[in-house]
């Protein structure tokens, strides 16, 4: 009988793909940059706590989240300067 131990892999992909979908949602990011950033950080830490990502991956996700926040703030400043 062949048993499969790959059931954890789709879970990791699903959780990471959820984080990636959140990260790619520019509408939500630009609407509420602070809340969106916090959600990205919370989700990244949850992935790490569940041991679905290692500390290097956590660091990468946190850097991406910070970059997204910086992008949103710069976008808001650009909009304000255009008015």
């Amino acid at each position: 009988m062949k048993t499969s131990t790959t059931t954890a892999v789709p879970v990791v992909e699903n959780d990471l793909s959820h984080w990636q979908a959140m990260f790619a949602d520019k509408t939500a990011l630009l609407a509420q940059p602070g809340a969106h950033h916090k959600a990205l950080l919370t989700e990244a830490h949850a992935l790490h706590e569940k041991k679905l990502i290692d500390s290097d991956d956590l660091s990468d996700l946190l850097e991406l989240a910070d970059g997204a926040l910086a992008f949103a703030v710069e976008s808001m400043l650009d909009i304000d300067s255009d008015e």
Side-chain angles (χ1 to χ4, degrees):
M1 173 182 247
K2 183 178 179 182
T3 59
S4 176
T5 59
T6 60
T7 57
V9 173
V11 172
V12 172
E13 290 174 359
N14 286 340
D15 285 342
L16 286 175
S17 65
H18 174 71
W19 190 93
Q20 291 167 337
M22 288 175 53
F23 176 72
D25 188 353
K26 288 185 182 176
T27 303
L29 172 66
L30 295 174
Q32 294 183 324
H36 195 74
H37 179 252
K38 184 175 181 177
L40 286 170
L41 297 180
T42 301
E43 191 73 21
H45 282 287
L47 290 169
H48 184 253
E49 288 173 9
K50 293 176 188 175
K51 301 201 183 314
L52 299 176
I53 59 172
D54 62 19
S55 55
D56 290 336
D57 292 332
L58 173 62
S59 178
D60 290 343
L61 295 184
L62 297 178
E63 283 186 39
L64 287 169
D66 289 348
L69 178 61
F71 167 79
V73 170
E74 288 179 19
S75 294
M76 291 170 58
L77 292 173
D78 286 345
I79 291 170
D80 289 342
S81 68
D82 289 343
E83 291 177 354

